[in-house]
Structures are given as C-alpha cells and as structure tokens.
C-alpha cells in the first residue's frame, strides 16, 4: 500500500510548526461549521500563498484498477498566510486552483500601480546596464520614497467607486437606491447588499471578484494614518436625471459593531497580527477575550466548565458552554447563530379501556440559514405524564439563548428592518412598513392591535380582521416576533 495525495498534492517539507498551525486552523474551521469532512489525519502542503490542507487517500498500487476508487470530487482547503480559508474541489486541477488563490492574494497585497511602475523601471535599467557590457554605466537608480499619502488616498477612493460601479451591475433593471455594508478582517468578511425600487428591497449576493476589490481597497487603506477600517458603507442613489451619487463611510470600530456584522473573535486577532494598531478599542479587546490582541495562543488555562454536558437520545453527547454548542460531530459557535427555536408540544393518547396518556416533546434548534449543522436543528427530549418536569438540559439552553443570543439577534434584525431590509419568520415577511403574508395579510405597523403567545403559536391581531394570523413557535426566530412587533409599533407611535 502507498499513500496517494488527493489530486496529486505532494508534501514539500514545510517547517513543522507552520504545517501544524495550518492543520489546526482547518480543523477548527471544519468543526465550527459542522462540515462533513474528517478532522483527523489531515496533511498540509505549502504553496506560494499559503497551504493546501486535505485528507490523503490510500490506494493499493498493486491493483491496476485501484485508481477507479479515487474520489473525483473531494474538498481541499486553501489557507493563506493571513488566515483566509477557501474550500475548493479536486475536480479542478490543483495547480489551477492554487494559482487562482495565489493570484487573489497577490492582487490584494500588490504595491500601488505607480510604485510597481517605478520598481519595474529600476529592473529595466539594471537589465540594460548588464547588456551594455560596461558595468556601472548606470551608476545608481533608487526608488526614493514610498508612495505618498495623497497617492494612496486616491487609489483607495478610486477602488471604492469601482466597487460601487461593479455592485450596481448586480441590481435589477430598475432601482432607485443601493446600500452595501462590508465588514472585513484579513481572514473573513461579510457583505450585505440591497437594492430598492420604490421602497421595495431586494438583497443580492456579492461575487468573489467584487470581494477581492474590497479586500484590495482595505489593504491600501491600512497604509493610511487611520489604519484599516472594520466596516465600509457604500450608498448609491440615482437622481431624476439618471446620474448616480456615491457616498462612502468608514467605521474604524470606535463603537461596537452591530451584531449582524461582527465577525468571530479569532478573525480580529488575525487582523491585529497583520495590521498592528497602537490603540485597540476597549470593546474589541474584551470581545477578543483573554487571548488579547496577539495571534498566538497563550498557555492553556483551566478548561471552562460547560453548562450542559449530557447524552441526548441513546448515546450522542451534547455539550454547551458560553462559546459554542456541540452535538456529536456537529458544532456551532454562538456568535455564528442566526436563528433559534425551542417549541414545546403536548400529545394526548386517547385511551379506550385505559386512561389517556400524555407525551410532552421539548425541541431546541439553532442554525445559520445557509449551512446549519444538521444535528443542531432538532434536538429533542420527551417526557411522559400530564405535568412533566421540564428537562434540565433544555431549560439551560433556553435560558442561555434568551439572555445572550436573542438580544444580539433582535438588535441585528431590527437594524436590518429599519434600514429597509426584510426577514422571513414562518411564512410572514417582516419589513420596514409592516407584516406581509401573501394572500392573507399586508398590514402596516399602525394597524396591528396586539401580539400574544399561546398554545405553541404567535397570534398576530390586526385592526378590522376577525381572526388572528398565526405563526408556529417551531419556526426559526418566531420567539423574536412579539418583540420585533413591539419595537416597530413603538417607533411609529
């Protein structure tokens, strides 16, 4: 038997410490997102921009048909020197994906155009000098100074406008206004882009090419006195004559970022390692935790005691502490949770010759909308009897999300709604003007007369409507609906 590296990736003798670090970061990435990918036995190969991390595939080289068993479409993780992770497939030649990844990193970090021109001019002088056969014919050539602040500021501004122009092409045929909010570090970013047409919003996904422009713009901005921004806000408004006006704002983290645009603490540690700051906001230092502002790990201290540690079902272990929740091989950081739910339902088993029996089911679920860990969507406990004792694990999880997670989600979604966005809870669309349930309700906030929770449902009452609209508490974030309604109706009073 011999080991064949996935897609022909071969070990290059990378320094051991760096290799281990790359593997550990990918293991954390896989575990945090609950990906169906082995975390043990990973190997890392160095290439120009970072590492390829993958699971090697063993085949029997004595069997001439064994190559047919090689997987044609497996994931390989590319991780850059600053911690950016990109998942690629072995269906594409490894040289091609690594070359593209290297080009992306080089594009972000290359020198400004004018500086590159001067360096190229120096190289050309040296080449001509060597060809002349008279060494020293060109006595000296020096790039006198780094690019001026004015030059860098001009490039930063130009890239912001170029980003806005590229984003504008993503919108519908007709739109009046576009807003884009980018929250970035060197290793991760989020992007929220919305277009409005007569106050009707439409969200769009940002392609990788535009994300590269944003990373490039931020890298250049890091060389300016203010340093790298944490959020960039672009607004494009169309005037009556069709001309577009672009406005740009930068958020340097003087105040805590909105929860919906706050990245995981490790990404800010990576950012400070890449772009050291003389002053770090107090809230950011606290958010990054005891590991401080360095990218290195400190000496391990005593393990934190989880508030839930038990088996659910027959043998699958459930562990939750203040940082994350893990069920079997599925893990999710609380900071990444986008929705919660914890409904309780009771079933009556009607007896004929014997007394009726009751079963109460307690459900708990959390997720991220996009790629929620499957095992965390529907954790369940059952109790028999007419008045059962609530499961201690369920109570502890509900108490934690009500105190820690729900306030963050509520602030995030209220901010989104007030900025003109929308969210879906059950079948109800919640937006700046009110609630819409296609074919049933299209109510503005002023027309709502009350919201109550009873019998596993959220009941929404509207003036002039004889029957309330109902939303199941089993729907993602239905528990937030009464507070969202209360906050929005109070704002219209």
């Amino acid at each position: 038997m011999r080991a064949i590296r996935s897609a022909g990736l071969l070990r290059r003798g990378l320094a051991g410490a760096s290799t281990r670090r790359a593997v550990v970061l990918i293991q954390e990435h896989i575990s945090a997102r609950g990906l169906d990918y082995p975390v043990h036995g990973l190997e890392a190969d160095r290439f120009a921009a970072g590492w390829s991390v993958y699971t090697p595939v063993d085949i029997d080289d004595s069997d001439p048909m064994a190559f047919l068993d090689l997987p044609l479409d497996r994931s390989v993780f590319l991780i850059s020197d600053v911690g950016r992770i990109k998942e690629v497939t072995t269906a594409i030649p490894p040289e091609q994906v690594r070359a593209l990844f290297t080009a992306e990193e080089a594009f972000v970090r290359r020198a400004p155009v004018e500086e590159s021109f001067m360096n190229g001019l120096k190289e050309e002088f040296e080449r001509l000098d060597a060809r002349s056969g008279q060494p020293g014919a060109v006595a000296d050539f020096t790039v006198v100074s780094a690019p001026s602040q004015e030059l860098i500021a001009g490039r930063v501004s130009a890239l912001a406008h170029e980003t806005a122009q590229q984003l504008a092409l993503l919108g519908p045929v007709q739109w009046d206004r576009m807003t884009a909010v980018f929250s970035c570090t060197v290793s991760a970013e989020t992007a929220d882009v919305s277009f409005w047409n007569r106050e009707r919003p439409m969200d769009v996904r940002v392609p990788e090419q535009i994300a590269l422009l944003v990373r490039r713009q931020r890298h250049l901005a890091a060389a300016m006195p203010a340093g790298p921004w944490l959020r960039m806000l672009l607004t494009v408004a169309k005037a009556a004559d069709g001309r577009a006006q672009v406005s740009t704002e930068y958020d340097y983290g003087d105040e805590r970022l909105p929860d919906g645009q706050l990245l995981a603490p490790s990404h800010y540690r990576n950012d400070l390692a890449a772009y050291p700051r003389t002053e770090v906001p107090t809230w950011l230092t606290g958010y990054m935790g005891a590991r401080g502002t360095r990218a290195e790990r400190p000496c391990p201290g005593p393990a934190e005691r989880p508030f839930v540690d038990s088996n659910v079902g027959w043998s699958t272990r459930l562990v939750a502490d203040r940082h994350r929740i893990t069920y079997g091989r599925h893990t999710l950081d609380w900071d990444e949770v986008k929705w919660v739910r914890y409904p309780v339902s009771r079933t009556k088993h009607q007896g004929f010759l014997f007394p009726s029996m009751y079963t109460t089911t307690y459900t708990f679920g959390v997720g991220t909308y996009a790629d929620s860990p499957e095992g965390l969507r529907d954790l369940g406990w059952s109790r028999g009897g007419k008045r059962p004792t609530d499961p201690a694990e369920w109570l502890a999880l509900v108490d934690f999300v009500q105190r820690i997670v729900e306030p963050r989600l509520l602030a995030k979604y209220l901010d989104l709604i007030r900025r003109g966005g929308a969210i879906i809870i059950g079948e109800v669309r919640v937006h700046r003007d009110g609630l819409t349930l296609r074919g049933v309700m299209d109510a503005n906030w002023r027309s709502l007369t009350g919201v109550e929770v009873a019998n596993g449902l959220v009941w929404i009452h509207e003036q002039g409507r004889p029957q309330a609209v109902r939303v199941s508490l089993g729907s993602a974030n239905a528990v937030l609906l009464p507070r969202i309604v209360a906050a929005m109706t109070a704002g219209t009073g």
Side-chain angles (χ1 to χ4, degrees), residues 304-326:
E304 180 177 337
R305 184 175 180 180
F307 60 84
V308 171
D309 189 351
S310 66
N311 288 339
V312 177
W314 290 102
S315 59
T316 305
R317 188 182 180 195
L318 172 67
V319 179
D321 57 29
R322 64 188 181 92
H323 299 295
R324 61 188 59 86
I325 177 172
T326 300

Side-chain angles (χ1 to χ4, degrees), residues 159-341:
L159 280 171
H161 278 72
E162 185 175 349
T163 300
Q165 292 173 359
Q166 294 295 323
L167 288 172
L169 300 177
L170 303 177
V173 176
Q174 293 183 342
W175 55 273
D176 305 317
R177 179 167 52 96
M178 181 204 77
T179 61
V181 182
F182 295 92
S183 181
C184 294
T185 64
V186 291
S187 53
E189 65 268 334
T190 65
D192 298 315
V193 180
S194 299
F195 290 86
W196 277 265
N197 181 14
R198 298 180 180 178
E199 299 306 317
R200 293 183 179 179
M202 185 188 82
D203 297 335
V204 299
R205 178 181 174 274
V206 177
E208 178 66 16
Q209 294 88 336
I210 296 180
L212 276 173
L213 282 179
V214 174
R215 293 184 209 128
R216 167 67 175 161
Q217 194 265 10
R218 184 175 187 264
H219 176 69
L220 289 180
M224 299 179 66
W229 46 264
L230 296 185
R231 288 197 308 157
M232 178 172 67
L233 297 84
L234 294 175
T235 302
V236 181
K238 286 185 178 179
D241 58 3
R243 296 184 180 180
Q245 181 177 1
V246 180
S247 62
T248 308
E249 298 180 45
Y250 299 105
D251 184 348
Y252 294 95
D254 295 334
E255 298 181 1
R256 182 183 173 92
L257 304 188
D259 288 326
Q261 293 155 8
L262 190 62
L263 303 173
S266 60
H267 296 307
Y268 294 103
R269 288 191 287 268
N270 292 342
D271 206 61
L272 285 170
Y275 304 123
R277 299 182 181 211
T278 56
E279 295 183 4
V280 179
T282 303
W283 73 265
L284 184 55
T285 301
Y287 178 68
M288 290 187 296
R291 287 171 60 175
T293 60
R294 294 188 176 185
E296 300 85 2
R297 293 177 181 268
C299 297
E304 180 177 337
R305 184 175 180 180
F307 60 84
V308 171
D309 189 351
S310 66
N311 288 339
V312 177
W314 290 102
S315 59
T316 305
R317 188 182 180 195
L318 172 67
V319 179
D321 57 29
R322 64 188 181 92
H323 299 295
R324 61 188 59 86
I325 177 172
T326 300
Y327 176 65
R329 61 186 179 86
H330 302 285
T331 297
L332 187 62
D333 287 354
W334 293 114
D335 289 338
E336 297 178 347
V337 168
K338 299 295 190 298
W339 61 263
V340 300
R341 63 190 189 95

Side-chain angles (χ1 to χ4, degrees), residues 12-273:
R12 295 188 177 182
L14 175 68
S18 297
T19 305
R20 288 195 297 272
R21 181 62 178 155
V23 169
V24 168
L25 289 174
I26 296 302
Q27 287 173 330
E28 293 176 351
H29 175 83
I30 293 170
S31 298
R33 285 157 179 77
L35 302 179
D36 186 14
Y37 197 90
V39 294
H40 300 293
L42 296 178
E43 298 197 10
D45 289 334
R46 179 69 183 177
F47 67 102
W51 295 267
S52 299
V53 181
Y54 57 93
T55 301
V57 179
D58 293 329
I59 66 169
D60 186 356
D61 59 353
S62 65
D63 181 0
M65 303 301 291
F67 73 94
L68 295 175
D69 296 328
L70 280 173
L72 298 178
D73 187 9
R74 280 184 62 80
S75 290
V76 172
F77 298 91
L78 306 181
I79 177 169
S80 74
D81 292 327
V82 296
R84 185 172 75 92
I85 295 173
K86 184 174 184 177
E87 184 176 353
V88 298
T89 173
T90 57
I92 303 174
E95 296 80 6
Q96 181 177 338
V97 296
R98 289 184 299 190
L100 176 60
F101 189 80
T102 301
E104 292 171 354
E105 293 299 304
F107 172 78
V108 170
R109 288 167 181 80
R110 77 180 194 274
V113 173
E114 290 78 3
E115 184 182 15
S116 295
F117 170 76
M118 293 298 289
N119 289 334
L121 186 60
K122 177 183 178 181
E123 293 172 0
E124 183 66 6
F125 264 74
E126 292 171 345
R127 185 182 67 83
L128 294 173
D129 186 36
R131 287 181 59 186
S132 69
Q134 298 177 358
V138 179
D140 191 19
F141 187 98
T142 303
V143 178
V144 177
S145 62
S148 66
Q149 292 295 318
E150 292 78 8
L151 171 62
I152 295 176
R155 293 293 295 140
V156 167
S157 178
L159 280 171
H161 278 72
E162 185 175 349
T163 300
Q165 292 173 359
Q166 294 295 323
L167 288 172
L169 300 177
L170 303 177
V173 176
Q174 293 183 342
W175 55 273
D176 305 317
R177 179 167 52 96
M178 181 204 77
T179 61
V181 182
F182 295 92
S183 181
C184 294
T185 64
V186 291
S187 53
E189 65 268 334
T190 65
D192 298 315
V193 180
S194 299
F195 290 86
W196 277 265
N197 181 14
R198 298 180 180 178
E199 299 306 317
R200 293 183 179 179
M202 185 188 82
D203 297 335
V204 299
R205 178 181 174 274
V206 177
E208 178 66 16
Q209 294 88 336
I210 296 180
L212 276 173
L213 282 179
V214 174
R215 293 184 209 128
R216 167 67 175 161
Q217 194 265 10
R218 184 175 187 264
H219 176 69
L220 289 180
M224 299 179 66
W229 46 264
L230 296 185
R231 288 197 308 157
M232 178 172 67
L233 297 84
L234 294 175
T235 302
V236 181
K238 286 185 178 179
D241 58 3
R243 296 184 180 180
Q245 181 177 1
V246 180
S247 62
T248 308
E249 298 180 45
Y250 299 105
D251 184 348
Y252 294 95
D254 295 334
E255 298 181 1
R256 182 183 173 92
L257 304 188
D259 288 326
Q261 293 155 8
L262 190 62
L263 303 173
S266 60
H267 296 307
Y268 294 103
R269 288 191 287 268
N270 292 342
D271 206 61
L272 285 170

